[in-house]
Amino acid sequence: MQSDFLLIAAPTKAGEDFMKLVKLAGLPFIALSNNKMERLKLEGQGVKQIMQVDTSRPETFLIPDYPIGTVILFEESLPLCCRYIQLCRSLTSRPIYVITQSVNPRLIYKGLGADYVIYSKNGDVKFLISSLT
């Protein structure tokens, strides 16, 4: 039986670095993207599985055929992160982590369904990998 896939939105440098560590750890993951340019960038980094969603038209979203487990979202913008949380909460009952450099949106993210909001000035959350294995 296939294990759940880790879903990662990594539009930041810290997110990209985390995704590389996840890949090195051998964890099955899918990258989350909301535009073609980001998708091409992820493909250029060697990411094999990418879920591209249109966050401006959530009614067009199709539930994937593969099991989604834990979700890790690196915040690039408040509106995009909010849309990702809403979308991802419908995919999994496992934890959703939001990594942010701002202390202000914590209650917003929690209210939308994030389980953990981690404030990190540099976005380094490699400590999470040990809890995902």
Side-chain angles (χ1 to χ4, degrees), residues 75-98:
E75 177 198 54
E76 182 179 46
S77 76
L78 178 78
L80 179 59
C81 196
C82 288
R83 289 186 194 124
Y84 276 161
I85 292 169
Q86 290 172 315
L87 180 126
C88 292
R89 185 41 67 204
S90 69
L91 297 177
T92 187
S93 59
R94 302 284 303 276
I96 295 177
Y97 293 84
V98 175

mmCIF file of all heavy atoms in Angstrom, residues 75-98:
data_model
loop_
_atom_site.group_PDB
_atom_site.id
_atom_site.type_symbol
_atom_site.label_atom_id
_atom_site.label_comp_id
_atom_site.label_asym_id
_atom_site.label_seq_id
_atom_site.Cartn_x
_atom_site.Cartn_y
_atom_site.Cartn_z
ATOM 1 N N GLU A 75 4.838 30.521 3.282
ATOM 2 C CA GLU A 75 4.078 31.719 2.934
ATOM 3 C C GLU A 75 4.891 32.670 2.065
ATOM 4 O O GLU A 75 6.007 33.038 2.405
ATOM 5 C CB GLU A 75 3.667 32.461 4.211
ATOM 6 C CG GLU A 75 2.933 33.755 3.931
ATOM 7 C CD GLU A 75 2.918 34.668 5.133
ATOM 8 O OE1 GLU A 75 4.005 34.972 5.673
ATOM 9 O OE2 GLU A 75 1.827 35.071 5.533
ATOM 10 N N GLU A 76 4.292 33.009 0.935
ATOM 11 C CA GLU A 76 4.857 34.054 0.081
ATOM 12 C C GLU A 76 3.957 35.281 0.166
ATOM 13 O O GLU A 76 4.420 36.402 0.192
ATOM 14 C CB GLU A 76 4.969 33.570 -1.358
ATOM 15 C CG GLU A 76 5.587 34.590 -2.281
ATOM 16 C CD GLU A 76 5.713 34.076 -3.693
ATOM 17 O OE1 GLU A 76 4.745 33.509 -4.207
ATOM 18 O OE2 GLU A 76 6.788 34.275 -4.282
ATOM 19 N N SER A 77 2.652 35.037 0.196
ATOM 20 C CA SER A 77 1.698 36.128 0.353
ATOM 21 C C SER A 77 0.520 35.637 1.188
ATOM 22 O O SER A 77 0.165 34.457 1.133
ATOM 23 C CB SER A 77 1.206 36.633 -1.009
ATOM 24 O OG SER A 77 0.268 35.732 -1.566
ATOM 25 N N LEU A 78 -0.062 36.521 1.934
ATOM 26 C CA LEU A 78 -1.198 36.181 2.792
ATOM 27 C C LEU A 78 -2.378 35.632 2.000
ATOM 28 O O LEU A 78 -2.884 34.557 2.324
ATOM 29 C CB LEU A 78 -1.616 37.398 3.621
ATOM 30 C CG LEU A 78 -2.824 37.197 4.517
ATOM 31 C CD1 LEU A 78 -2.439 36.434 5.774
ATOM 32 C CD2 LEU A 78 -3.454 38.515 4.877
ATOM 33 N N PRO A 79 -2.830 36.312 0.922
ATOM 34 C CA PRO A 79 -3.984 35.781 0.181
ATOM 35 C C PRO A 79 -3.746 34.394 -0.419
ATOM 36 O O PRO A 79 -4.609 33.523 -0.335
ATOM 37 C CB PRO A 79 -4.230 36.809 -0.926
ATOM 38 C CG PRO A 79 -3.556 38.055 -0.461
ATOM 39 C CD PRO A 79 -2.406 37.613 0.387
ATOM 40 N N LEU A 80 -2.564 34.176 -1.000
ATOM 41 C CA LEU A 80 -2.273 32.883 -1.606
ATOM 42 C C LEU A 80 -2.216 31.789 -0.539
ATOM 43 O O LEU A 80 -2.765 30.702 -0.721
ATOM 44 C CB LEU A 80 -0.958 32.925 -2.382
ATOM 45 C CG LEU A 80 -0.531 31.615 -3.032
ATOM 46 C CD1 LEU A 80 -1.592 31.108 -4.017
ATOM 47 C CD2 LEU A 80 0.813 31.778 -3.725
ATOM 48 N N CYS A 81 -1.589 32.078 0.569
ATOM 49 C CA CYS A 81 -1.485 31.090 1.637
ATOM 50 C C CYS A 81 -2.877 30.743 2.179
ATOM 51 O O CYS A 81 -3.171 29.570 2.440
ATOM 52 C CB CYS A 81 -0.583 31.610 2.750
ATOM 53 S SG CYS A 81 -0.035 30.327 3.882
ATOM 54 N N CYS A 82 -3.745 31.730 2.307
ATOM 55 C CA CYS A 82 -5.119 31.481 2.763
ATOM 56 C C CYS A 82 -5.855 30.563 1.782
ATOM 57 O O CYS A 82 -6.550 29.624 2.200
ATOM 58 C CB CYS A 82 -5.883 32.794 2.907
ATOM 59 S SG CYS A 82 -5.361 33.797 4.310
ATOM 60 N N ARG A 83 -5.696 30.800 0.506
ATOM 61 C CA ARG A 83 -6.348 29.949 -0.501
ATOM 62 C C ARG A 83 -5.802 28.526 -0.448
ATOM 63 O O ARG A 83 -6.550 27.559 -0.553
ATOM 64 C CB ARG A 83 -6.154 30.533 -1.895
ATOM 65 C CG ARG A 83 -6.962 31.785 -2.112
ATOM 66 C CD ARG A 83 -6.843 32.248 -3.557
ATOM 67 N NE ARG A 83 -7.343 33.595 -3.691
ATOM 68 C CZ ARG A 83 -6.655 34.602 -4.188
ATOM 69 N NH1 ARG A 83 -5.418 34.416 -4.639
ATOM 70 N NH2 ARG A 83 -7.177 35.795 -4.274
ATOM 71 N N TYR A 84 -4.487 28.411 -0.291
ATOM 72 C CA TYR A 84 -3.882 27.084 -0.195
ATOM 73 C C TYR A 84 -4.409 26.319 1.027
ATOM 74 O O TYR A 84 -4.695 25.131 0.942
ATOM 75 C CB TYR A 84 -2.357 27.183 -0.099
ATOM 76 C CG TYR A 84 -1.636 27.311 -1.420
ATOM 77 C CD1 TYR A 84 -0.337 27.798 -1.462
ATOM 78 C CD2 TYR A 84 -2.203 26.929 -2.627
ATOM 79 C CE1 TYR A 84 0.365 27.907 -2.649
ATOM 80 C CE2 TYR A 84 -1.519 27.038 -3.829
ATOM 81 C CZ TYR A 84 -0.230 27.523 -3.833
ATOM 82 O OH TYR A 84 0.464 27.622 -5.008
ATOM 83 N N ILE A 85 -4.522 26.994 2.160
ATOM 84 C CA ILE A 85 -5.019 26.323 3.367
ATOM 85 C C ILE A 85 -6.424 25.798 3.131
ATOM 86 O O ILE A 85 -6.728 24.643 3.452
ATOM 87 C CB ILE A 85 -4.997 27.274 4.588
ATOM 88 C CG1 ILE A 85 -3.561 27.603 4.990
ATOM 89 C CG2 ILE A 85 -5.752 26.649 5.773
ATOM 90 C CD1 ILE A 85 -3.444 28.730 6.000
ATOM 91 N N GLN A 86 -7.291 26.623 2.575
ATOM 92 C CA GLN A 86 -8.675 26.205 2.326
ATOM 93 C C GLN A 86 -8.723 25.006 1.380
ATOM 94 O O GLN A 86 -9.462 24.051 1.608
ATOM 95 C CB GLN A 86 -9.486 27.365 1.758
ATOM 96 C CG GLN A 86 -9.730 28.458 2.781
ATOM 97 C CD GLN A 86 -10.371 29.687 2.174
ATOM 98 O OE1 GLN A 86 -9.957 30.150 1.108
ATOM 99 N NE2 GLN A 86 -11.364 30.219 2.849
ATOM 100 N N LEU A 87 -7.933 25.048 0.345
ATOM 101 C CA LEU A 87 -7.899 23.961 -0.620
ATOM 102 C C LEU A 87 -7.337 22.686 0.019
ATOM 103 O O LEU A 87 -7.917 21.611 -0.101
ATOM 104 C CB LEU A 87 -7.030 24.378 -1.808
ATOM 105 C CG LEU A 87 -6.893 23.357 -2.908
ATOM 106 C CD1 LEU A 87 -7.278 23.996 -4.222
ATOM 107 C CD2 LEU A 87 -5.472 22.859 -2.953
ATOM 108 N N CYS A 88 -6.244 22.818 0.732
ATOM 109 C CA CYS A 88 -5.577 21.657 1.312
ATOM 110 C C CYS A 88 -6.388 21.033 2.445
ATOM 111 O O CYS A 88 -6.340 19.817 2.633
ATOM 112 C CB CYS A 88 -4.190 22.037 1.814
ATOM 113 S SG CYS A 88 -3.051 22.459 0.476
ATOM 114 N N ARG A 89 -7.130 21.826 3.174
ATOM 115 C CA ARG A 89 -7.923 21.272 4.264
ATOM 116 C C ARG A 89 -8.968 20.297 3.724
ATOM 117 O O ARG A 89 -9.330 19.326 4.379
ATOM 118 C CB ARG A 89 -8.575 22.407 5.078
ATOM 119 C CG ARG A 89 -9.336 21.999 6.309
ATOM 120 C CD ARG A 89 -8.703 20.909 7.172
ATOM 121 N NE ARG A 89 -7.483 21.269 7.825
ATOM 122 C CZ ARG A 89 -6.566 20.367 8.218
ATOM 123 N NH1 ARG A 89 -6.731 19.083 8.031
ATOM 124 N NH2 ARG A 89 -5.469 20.752 8.800
ATOM 125 N N SER A 90 -9.416 20.529 2.483
ATOM 126 C CA SER A 90 -10.388 19.607 1.882
ATOM 127 C C SER A 90 -9.726 18.307 1.408
ATOM 128 O O SER A 90 -10.421 17.347 1.099
ATOM 129 C CB SER A 90 -11.107 20.282 0.711
ATOM 130 O OG SER A 90 -10.217 20.495 -0.370
ATOM 131 N N LEU A 91 -8.390 18.267 1.376
ATOM 132 C CA LEU A 91 -7.667 17.096 0.881
ATOM 133 C C LEU A 91 -7.194 16.147 1.970
ATOM 134 O O LEU A 91 -6.918 14.989 1.693
ATOM 135 C CB LEU A 91 -6.429 17.536 0.087
ATOM 136 C CG LEU A 91 -6.647 18.339 -1.171
ATOM 137 C CD1 LEU A 91 -5.309 18.745 -1.765
ATOM 138 C CD2 LEU A 91 -7.461 17.549 -2.159
ATOM 139 N N THR A 92 -7.043 16.648 3.188
ATOM 140 C CA THR A 92 -6.422 15.837 4.225
ATOM 141 C C THR A 92 -6.941 16.184 5.609
ATOM 142 O O THR A 92 -7.365 17.315 5.852
ATOM 143 C CB THR A 92 -4.884 15.994 4.203
ATOM 144 O OG1 THR A 92 -4.296 15.071 5.123
ATOM 145 C CG2 THR A 92 -4.446 17.397 4.547
ATOM 146 N N SER A 93 -6.874 15.205 6.480
ATOM 147 C CA SER A 93 -7.172 15.451 7.891
ATOM 148 C C SER A 93 -5.862 15.493 8.683
ATOM 149 O O SER A 93 -5.866 15.702 9.884
ATOM 150 C CB SER A 93 -8.085 14.363 8.447
ATOM 151 O OG SER A 93 -7.463 13.103 8.318
ATOM 152 N N ARG A 94 -4.759 15.284 7.988
ATOM 153 C CA ARG A 94 -3.430 15.349 8.612
ATOM 154 C C ARG A 94 -3.052 16.814 8.841
ATOM 155 O O ARG A 94 -3.692 17.729 8.330
ATOM 156 C CB ARG A 94 -2.404 14.669 7.697
ATOM 157 C CG ARG A 94 -2.693 13.208 7.360
ATOM 158 C CD ARG A 94 -2.397 12.227 8.479
ATOM 159 N NE ARG A 94 -1.045 12.247 8.970
ATOM 160 C CZ ARG A 94 -0.028 11.592 8.429
ATOM 161 N NH1 ARG A 94 -0.189 10.845 7.354
ATOM 162 N NH2 ARG A 94 1.182 11.680 8.963
ATOM 163 N N PRO A 95 -1.973 17.062 9.586
ATOM 164 C CA PRO A 95 -1.598 18.446 9.918
ATOM 165 C C PRO A 95 -1.238 19.301 8.701
ATOM 166 O O PRO A 95 -0.669 18.811 7.736
ATOM 167 C CB PRO A 95 -0.377 18.281 10.819
ATOM 168 C CG PRO A 95 -0.438 16.895 11.335
ATOM 169 C CD PRO A 95 -1.127 16.090 10.269
ATOM 170 N N ILE A 96 -1.591 20.566 8.807
ATOM 171 C CA ILE A 96 -1.161 21.583 7.848
ATOM 172 C C ILE A 96 -0.249 22.543 8.605
ATOM 173 O O ILE A 96 -0.652 23.122 9.618
ATOM 174 C CB ILE A 96 -2.348 22.353 7.237
ATOM 175 C CG1 ILE A 96 -3.224 21.417 6.394
ATOM 176 C CG2 ILE A 96 -1.843 23.539 6.401
ATOM 177 C CD1 ILE A 96 -4.464 22.074 5.821
ATOM 178 N N TYR A 97 0.979 22.675 8.110
ATOM 179 C CA TYR A 97 1.956 23.593 8.682
ATOM 180 C C TYR A 97 2.075 24.806 7.771
ATOM 181 O O TYR A 97 2.163 24.652 6.555
ATOM 182 C CB TYR A 97 3.343 22.952 8.754
ATOM 183 C CG TYR A 97 3.483 21.804 9.716
ATOM 184 C CD1 TYR A 97 3.117 20.515 9.348
ATOM 185 C CD2 TYR A 97 4.027 22.001 10.980
ATOM 186 C CE1 TYR A 97 3.279 19.447 10.224
ATOM 187 C CE2 TYR A 97 4.189 20.940 11.864
ATOM 188 C CZ TYR A 97 3.808 19.673 11.477
ATOM 189 O OH TYR A 97 3.965 18.611 12.332
ATOM 190 N N VAL A 98 2.112 25.990 8.357
ATOM 191 C CA VAL A 98 2.393 27.210 7.596
ATOM 192 C C VAL A 98 3.681 27.799 8.164
ATOM 193 O O VAL A 98 3.799 28.000 9.374
ATOM 194 C CB VAL A 98 1.246 28.237 7.710
ATOM 195 C CG1 VAL A 98 1.624 29.540 7.006
ATOM 196 C CG2 VAL A 98 -0.038 27.680 7.127
#
